Amino acid sequence: MAMIQDTVKNLRLPALLDERQRGVPETAKAWEARRLELVDLLCREVYGYVPAFEGMVSAACVEKDEGAYAGKATVQTLNLTVTMPQGVFSFPIVMTLPNFIERPQMIVSLAFRKQIPDRYYPQEEILDAGIGVAQLCYTDVATDDGDFSTGVAPLLTQGERTGTTLGKIGMWAWAASRVMDYLQTLDCIDRDTIAVLGHSRLGKTALLAGALDTRFAFVYSNDAGCAGDAITRGKRGEHIRDICKNFPYWFCENYQKYIDREEEMPFDQHFLLAAIAPRYVCIGSAVDDIWADPEYQYYSCVAAGEAYQFLGLEGFCHLDRLPAVGDSFHDGQIGFHLRSGGHFLSRYDWLQYIDFMKNKKRP
């Protein structure tokens, strides 16, 4: 795979591994130390620090239908209440479980809308695959704007906005982990193979949630692009200047240091993908989504594979060329697919992630 590897090498990316990891026989221990360094760096410079969670999560059923979708599913609307020293916060989720599968695998879906199903969410086909979904509407946690006085924001920031104070992506990732807290109390699901999935800004959120919370066995990022699943150096479309101008509140204020200075960053987005190792991560891209840039999403997967190889795992198994429409690379711990069309979370994407999930051994 000389051509693709050489192309990635020529991007002059910051090294995933340092000299302490090279040649160390206790690779898992050595990698975990480095992984935590990567997470700390990304929180400090991009997303902000998510406060350590000290509290409890409880759930109250608001509505339940045990015969939904012609009897195929049980659908519950639940109100999760999070009690912590900073205060109490509640938000709803909708959990859909197939009735014909014992202990189904689960996906925590970070959603743009409360409607189920909607254009991003082909629920019956997900059910037919035997997969359960716990869906969280992101604006029920924190608004998608510069207001840090509502939702969970004042509890997680204590009313301050400094260089490393977490932005909204970190708050949405925090909520995904609170859903995981609840799912870990259930005996009716497979608690060991839970995934987190998001599209666009919520794809960035899913990646951060997976890096921060090792209980997520699978992480699915769809068209996350800049500050998500695409290498920043040299990419087409959106850059740090664009994203910080339009959405500064998604990130900590430190991220703005790198406007027009991307070559100087001590990190790039392959760090975020690698921080999920040795667990599974799968990236979805679209050929016309130049703003996200599928080519540089692909390079991110290639570069992140070094972390998995260090652990003796396959990492990213791919051909020595750029991907073509219809390609799916699902053999390693890192998955990737490229479809036709533009920026969207489609039925095709969901089925790709489900295929990746159902054909993997337990992490």
Side-chain angles (χ1 to χ4, degrees), residues 167-227:
K168 295 298 179 75
I169 285 174
M171 296 178 192
W172 302 325
W174 173 90
S177 285
R178 304 292 73 79
V179 177
M180 173 63 89
D181 290 336
Y182 169 67
L183 294 179
Q184 289 297 308
T185 69
L186 302 180
D187 293 328
C188 60
I189 66 169
D190 183 349
R191 295 180 300 217
D192 296 326
T193 60
I194 297 172
V196 59
L197 178 151
H199 167 66
S200 193
R201 69 203 65 180
L202 299 181
K204 308 180 207 300
T205 302
L207 289 169
L208 181 60
L212 292 170
D213 191 338
T214 58
R215 296 174 298 178
F216 287 113
F218 295 88
V219 180
Y220 300 137
S221 171
N222 198 75
D223 297 343
C226 181

Side-chain angles (χ1 to χ4, degrees), residues 223-296:
D223 297 343
C226 181
D229 53 20
I231 293 296
T232 307
R233 289 163 165 83
K235 79 180 292 294
R236 298 173 295 173
E238 191 174 32
H239 280 268
I240 295 176
R241 168 174 289 279
D242 305 303
I243 208 167
C244 284
K245 177 183 177 181
N246 295 318
F247 309 106
Y249 45 84
W250 287 353
F251 310 102
C252 69
E253 292 184 345
N254 275 353
Y255 196 38
Q256 299 187 33
K257 296 186 303 185
Y258 301 107
I259 292 173
D260 298 330
R261 297 177 55 207
E262 294 169 353
E263 298 293 330
E264 302 174 31
M265 299 187 306
F267 60 89
D268 213 313
Q269 293 311 117
H270 64 307
F271 278 24
L272 185 57
L273 272 61
I276 296 164
R279 292 163 292 130
Y280 296 108
V281 57
C282 192
I283 304 303
S285 64
V287 70
D288 295 331
D289 191 1
I290 303 305
W291 200 240
D293 195 342
E295 181 179 337
Y296 277 69

